[in-house]
Amino acid sequence: MDKAGFPKAGSPLFRLARRTAFFTLAAWVLALAGGSLATPCLAAGKAPAFLQTELMPVADPVLRGELAAVSTDFAGAVTDKTLARFGRKHARRRTDLLAAPPQEYRDHIRADALARLLGAGMDPALGQYFVYADRNPATQMLFLAYYDATHRRVILLGTDFISSGKLRPGDDSFLTPLGAFEHLPDNWGYRAEGTKNAKGWRGLGARGSRVWDFGYQQAPRQFRQGVYDSQMRLLMHATDPDNGEPRLGGPDSKGCVRVSAAANAFLDRRAILDRHYEKIAAAEKDHDMWLLRTDRSPVAHPGSFLVVGDSAILSAARAEPQTAPTPQ
């Protein structure tokens, strides 16, 4: 406690405050180890309403406790900030979906995420965190998620807005490609310099913001003759804090996945997509891992995948009438 900033001496009232803080922290740690969702996980915020349903299949109390803590941390550090910025009711943003995504929507996101991860060759025996981006123009949602290898199930932990690609005739723009894309050391990321372009935008966010690089991908691009697949460099990054953040929640990028500064900092601080990078840092002590934050606190099972889906396509597929079989 002394190292945490508490003085070694003080008034009786101050010593009482120290003891209260100590026992409160101890009670929280014990409750977390038991996986209780009734106990506040972090001072940062309140767990999302859907979390208890998402965690029902998780039997391991240690994993359950960590997922609850990470989810609560994300809610306070990211989702609550976005809701405060836009307001609970917004004419052009689905803040209702952000605050409380319904069961049916979550079911489809989980199923789509699992199919894309397995299709991309993810090891089904390896539990890990990942990020899901729904490029549906009507939703534009980011989900912080975890793949539970024991039950082969996706667990959704938190939400935020993104901006995915928007086709602009005459401009170098793409639709964000669909699929599961792995964050590999072969495509070493970098950090934003925070410099402004000719329009006054810090295109990759404030200085020091993380840029995750998923390599070259094929994606629909607008040409004079129409829309055809072409090659693009897929990144996930922050956007201009002043001009870009108010536009999150609607398609706006040139093909990459734009996230809020808060989401960028959270994913970076908790090493959500740094599984391969953390392995290098642990195995090669002399390797200069300048990309990783020195003050990071990695989750227990960092992952490496960005999954991009489109709930509008899922909805259209569900709405298609079933063709009756031809009588024999």
Side-chain angles (χ1 to χ4, degrees), residues 20 23 77 122 142 172 212 228 244 255 288:
T20 302
F23 287 115
M122 179 197 70
L142 174 147
D172 185 20
W212 291 269
Y228 303 96
D288 183 8

Side-chain angles (χ1 to χ4, degrees), residues 208-325:
S209 298
R210 185 77 179 271
V211 179
W212 291 269
D213 189 338
F214 299 94
Y216 285 108
Q217 306 295 338
Q218 291 293 112
R221 181 181 180 185
Q222 181 92 47
F223 291 91
R224 182 175 299 176
Q225 299 85 357
V227 177
Y228 303 96
D229 275 359
S230 185
Q231 192 176 72
M232 65 164 285
R233 193 80 178 191
L234 179 61
L235 308 174
M236 183 171 69
H237 58 78
T239 185
D240 185 88
D242 302 316
N243 302 303
E245 288 228 1
R247 297 161 70 121
L248 291 174
D252 196 43
S253 81
K254 291 187 175 183
C256 295
V257 177
R258 293 180 184 171
V259 300
S260 67
N264 185 284
F266 182 93
L267 299 175
D268 187 18
R269 173 171 59 87
R270 301 309 304 268
I272 296 295
L273 299 182
D274 289 330
R275 180 168 68 90
H276 297 294
Y277 293 75
E278 290 292 343
K279 280 187 175 181
I280 295 174
E284 303 176 26
K285 299 299 183 182
D286 295 332
H287 197 290
D288 183 8
M289 299 299 292
W290 60 267
L291 185 61
L292 301 180
R293 288 173 57 151
T294 57
D295 63 342
R296 69 192 185 279
S297 53
V299 291
H301 306 286
S304 57
F305 283 95
L306 165 67
V307 181
V308 181
D310 191 328
S311 59
I313 295 176
L314 295 175
S315 298
R318 293 197 308 273
E320 287 182 359
Q322 300 296 316
T323 304

Side-chain angles (χ1 to χ4, degrees), residues 77-318:
V78 182
T79 311
D80 289 351
K81 290 183 178 180
T82 297
L83 288 171
R85 184 168 68 248
F86 285 105
R88 291 279 172 171
K89 294 182 180 179
H90 195 282
R92 299 179 61 187
R93 298 291 182 268
R94 291 295 308 275
T95 52
D96 60 325
L97 200 62
L98 186 66
Q103 179 75 47
E104 183 181 14
Y105 179 48
R106 300 199 316 274
D107 288 345
H108 290 301
I109 295 300
R110 279 193 271 99
D112 186 55
L114 183 59
R116 294 188 187 279
L117 285 168
L118 295 176
M122 179 197 70
D123 182 356
L126 182 66
Q128 60 178 294
Y129 289 85
F130 67 95
V131 171
Y132 184 97
D134 182 5
R135 77 174 192 185
N136 180 353
T139 56
Q140 292 286 285
M141 293 272 288
L142 174 147
F143 284 92
L144 174 65
Y146 181 81
Y147 167 68
D148 180 4
T150 301
H151 300 91
R152 294 205 174 190
R153 176 185 172 89
V154 167
I155 300 166
L156 303 178
L157 301 172
T159 58
D160 197 25
F161 284 138
I162 62 163
S163 280
S164 64
K166 179 179 180 180
L167 293 180
R168 296 176 175 88
D171 195 4
D172 185 20
S173 58
F174 300 78
L175 287 180
T176 305
L178 299 172
F181 309 100
E182 192 165 14
H183 181 225
L184 297 168
D186 295 346
N187 301 308
W188 200 269
Y190 51 97
R191 293 188 179 274
E193 295 183 358
T195 53
K196 295 183 178 181
N197 62 17
K199 297 181 180 179
W201 276 58
R202 289 165 285 181
L204 299 176
R207 182 177 178 81
S209 298
R210 185 77 179 271
V211 179
W212 291 269
D213 189 338
F214 299 94
Y216 285 108
Q217 306 295 338
Q218 291 293 112
R221 181 181 180 185
Q222 181 92 47
F223 291 91
R224 182 175 299 176
Q225 299 85 357
V227 177
Y228 303 96
D229 275 359
S230 185
Q231 192 176 72
M232 65 164 285
R233 193 80 178 191
L234 179 61
L235 308 174
M236 183 171 69
H237 58 78
T239 185
D240 185 88
D242 302 316
N243 302 303
E245 288 228 1
R247 297 161 70 121
L248 291 174
D252 196 43
S253 81
K254 291 187 175 183
C256 295
V257 177
R258 293 180 184 171
V259 300
S260 67
N264 185 284
F266 182 93
L267 299 175
D268 187 18
R269 173 171 59 87
R270 301 309 304 268
I272 296 295
L273 299 182
D274 289 330
R275 180 168 68 90
H276 297 294
Y277 293 75
E278 290 292 343
K279 280 187 175 181
I280 295 174
E284 303 176 26
K285 299 299 183 182
D286 295 332
H287 197 290
D288 183 8
M289 299 299 292
W290 60 267
L291 185 61
L292 301 180
R293 288 173 57 151
T294 57
D295 63 342
R296 69 192 185 279
S297 53
V299 291
H301 306 286
S304 57
F305 283 95
L306 165 67
V307 181
V308 181
D310 191 328
S311 59
I313 295 176
L314 295 175
S315 298
R318 293 197 308 273

Side-chain angles (χ1 to χ4, degrees), residues 19-32:
R19 288 196 297 271
T20 302
F22 174 81
F23 287 115
T24 300
L25 178 61
W28 174 80
V29 171
L30 289 173
L32 183 58

